[in-house]
């Protein structure tokens, strides 16, 4: 019962924090324009948040290995609350950029600490279900947030920022009240979590591509790059090719969000516990590739919605399998490993819109072809590494051994 209460607290924390982020998304450009921003300034504003997440997520993860998950998680949410309130009160553009950058820094603490907490407090047999449940909170937040932000606009452009501050503070209070720092669950083999954290472990800092940890981090970056490329261009594609407007795209995005959250919370986690995270990862990546390609074959709202929903299903399989795999493969340093995963995902989200927007001007189909290729490449990397593991073990060489030998 206590464990279920903690998972609910983590679910609520992820839901509320990501709702707070989503609340800001639809109004941030207009808020910045009101302060005299140019279109290029808005790009800097968005990038500053993501860049600080990319740089600091591994540092927060390592800190959580040293001082515990709960303090880092609560500190991140309190910091996010303060920076959101400061953004809403900012009267100059440079102050908005500064507070959003600080917001990215504080937000970077939340996800690594939350997923590492799940890794610490669940058995290997139940970890996929727990990861899926907590991840679903993020998805629900991203669905609710933009709608709530739009509803708050009549009270002023600063209202969504103050709502985000209140939501993040509420999440911090819930986490502080219900989470505790229990003894880490004993597992077996290389993933035994009673081992003292070693944040200098080479597989946590520069994971060898031939290790299972590397096979999870690399697809995390590639599939995030693919998805961000699609996100940044799909509305333009639907308008230019199918003649759709905001109402049709709102329906498409809502359908994808519902598909993603429902699968993550109810289906993917139990399947991972039954079939294994490696198999589910290798199922999700081809599904994503197929969804990207079917966008190019869409001819009406139903066919486009089906393609996007299929891609959302693939992402649900992928984004739940990756943290589960990383959690099981990390040798003691759960936080550092989860921070590395968050950084790789943020890196893809930073580059994706730049790459997608750039190649869309060359040809409308290129972002989706590239996304499909990246999904297939991730599948190949994962498949080759997983197939190679029995051979490497038979020869007495693991990814860790090879990385250590290479270092020396």
């Amino acid at each position: 019962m206590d464990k279920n209460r903690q998972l609910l607290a983590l679910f609520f924390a992820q839901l509320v924090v990501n709702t707070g982020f989503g609340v800001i998304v639809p109004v941030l450009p207009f808020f910045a324009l009101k302060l005299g921003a140019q279109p290029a300034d808005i790009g800097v504003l968005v990038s500053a948040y993501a860049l600080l997440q990319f740089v600091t997520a591994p540092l927060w993860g390592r800190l959580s290995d040293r001082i515990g998950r709960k303090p880092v998680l609560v500190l991140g949410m309190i910091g996010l609350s303060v920076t959101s309130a400061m953004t809403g009160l900012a009267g100059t553009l440079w102050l908005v950029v500064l507070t959003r950058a600080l917001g990215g820094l504080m937000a970077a603490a939340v996800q690594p600490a939350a997923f590492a907490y799940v890794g610490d407090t669940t058995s290997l047999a139940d970890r996929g279900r727990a990861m899926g449940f907590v991840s679903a909170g993020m998805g629900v937040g991203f669905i609710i947030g933009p709608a709530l932000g739009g509803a708050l606009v009549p009270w002023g452009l600063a209202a969504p920022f103050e709502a985000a501050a209140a939501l993040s503070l509420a999440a911090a209070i819930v986490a502080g009240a219900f989470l505790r720092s229990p003894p880490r669950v004993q597992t077996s083999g290389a993933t035994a979590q009673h081992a003292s954290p070693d944040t200098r472990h080479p597989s946590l800092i520069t994971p060898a591509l031939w290790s299972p940890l590397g096979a999870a981090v690399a697809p995390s970056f590639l599939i995030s790059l693919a998805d961000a490329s699609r996100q940044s261009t799909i509305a333009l594609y639907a308008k230019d090719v199918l003649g759709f407007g905001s109402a049709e795209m709102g329906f498409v995005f809502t359908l994808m969000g519902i598909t993603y959250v429902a699968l993550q919370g109810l289906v993917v986690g139990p399947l991972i516990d039954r079939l294994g995270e490696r198999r589910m990862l290798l199922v999700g990546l081809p599904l994503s590739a197929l969804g990207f390609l079917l966008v190019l074959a869409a001819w009406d709202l139903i066919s486009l919605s089906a393609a996007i929903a299929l891609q959302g299903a693939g992402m649900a399989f992928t984004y739940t399998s990756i943290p589960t795999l990383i959690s099981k493969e990390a040798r003691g340093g759960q936080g550092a490993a989860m921070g590395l995963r968050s950084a790789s995902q943020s890196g893809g989200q930073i580059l994706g819109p730049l790459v997608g927007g750039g190649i869309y001007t060359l040809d409308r189909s290129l972002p989706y072809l590239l996304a499909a290729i990246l999904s297939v490449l991730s599948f190949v990397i994962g498949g080759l590494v997983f197939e190679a593991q029995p051979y490497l073990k038979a020869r007495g060489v693991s990814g860790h051994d090879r990385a250590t030998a290479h270092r020396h």
Side-chain angles (χ1 to χ4, degrees), residues 333-397:
Q334 291 271 337
M338 290 301 175
L340 188 62
R341 178 254 178 185
S342 294
S344 65
Q345 187 172 330
S346 295
Q349 291 170 344
I350 293 170
L351 294 177
L354 300 175
V355 173
I359 62 178
Y360 184 85
T361 59
L362 301 176
D363 189 287
R364 294 168 180 169
S365 64
L366 285 180
Y368 310 97
L369 293 174
L370 174 64
I373 291 170
L374 292 174
S375 301
V376 172
L377 178 60
S378 299
F379 175 84
V380 171
I381 291 172
L384 288 176
V385 171
F386 298 151
E387 287 296 320
Q389 288 307 299
Y391 170 76
L392 293 174
K393 288 181 180 179
R395 292 176 59 90
V397 180

Side-chain angles (χ1 to χ4, degrees), residues 115 124 127-132 272-273 277 319-329 338:
F115 282 127
L124 295 180
R127 194 162 302 168
R129 189 188 305 266
M131 288 287 186
I272 287 176
D273 291 336
E277 62 282 347
Y319 278 147
T320 308
S321 300
I322 286 175
T324 307
L325 176 60
I326 290 175
S327 175
K328 292 181 180 180
E329 293 295 336
M338 290 301 175

Side-chain angles (χ1 to χ4, degrees), residues 14-91:
Q14 294 290 329
L15 185 154
V16 171
V17 167
N18 285 282
T19 297
F21 174 79
V23 160
I24 294 172
V25 169
V27 300
L28 182 60
F30 302 101
F31 186 79
L33 289 172
K34 182 181 177 182
L35 296 176
Q38 300 299 316
D41 298 326
I42 295 174
V44 171
L45 191 58
V46 174
S47 297
Y49 187 94
L51 181 61
L52 265 293
Q53 280 189 307
F54 171 72
V55 172
T56 61
L59 302 178
W60 282 115
R62 274 186 257 171
L63 183 63
S64 77
D65 286 332
R66 296 177 183 274
I67 69 173
R69 317 302 183 201
K70 180 178 175 179
V72 171
L73 189 65
V74 173
L75 177 62
M77 290 185 290
I78 292 174
L80 193 56
S81 175
V82 171
T83 56
S84 296
M86 290 172 62
T87 302
L89 296 172

Side-chain angles (χ1 to χ4, degrees), residues 159-238:
F161 295 93
E162 307 312 325
L167 289 170
S168 297
L169 184 60
I173 292 171
V174 169
F178 290 101
L179 296 182
R180 60 186 180 87
S181 299
R184 295 181 181 181
V185 174
Q186 177 68 49
T187 59
S188 60
T191 57
Q193 295 175 5
H194 278 295
S196 60
D198 179 8
T199 59
R200 296 172 299 168
H201 192 293
S203 67
L204 298 182
I205 307 305
T206 54
L209 196 59
W210 53 80
S211 72
L213 187 59
V217 171
S220 180
F221 169 74
L222 294 174
I223 200 67
S224 176
L225 175 63
D227 190 43
S229 176
R230 189 271 309 166
Q231 287 179 356
S232 64
T233 59
I234 187 63
L236 287 174
Y237 181 86

Side-chain angles (χ1 to χ4, degrees), residues 254-267:
T254 301
L255 178 62
M256 180 181 179
I258 293 172
T259 300
Y260 180 83
V261 170
L263 286 175
Q264 232 180 7
L266 301 175
V267 177

Side-chain angles (χ1 to χ4, degrees), residues 226-227 229-242 244 249 252-253 256 286-312 315 360 364-372:
D227 190 43
S229 176
R230 189 271 309 166
Q231 287 179 356
S232 64
T233 59
I234 187 63
L236 287 174
Y237 181 86
K239 173 181 174 293
D240 294 341
V241 176
L242 301 173
F244 290 168
M249 292 313 299
V252 170
F253 284 132
M256 180 181 179
L287 278 180
S288 295
L290 182 59
F292 288 128
L293 291 176
L294 288 178
V295 168
L296 301 178
W299 65 91
D300 59 9
L301 182 60
I302 294 176
S303 58
L304 180 64
S305 299
I308 296 296
L310 182 63
Q311 193 245 320
M315 300 302 289
Y360 184 85
R364 294 168 180 169
S365 64
L366 285 180
Y368 310 97
L369 293 174
L370 174 64

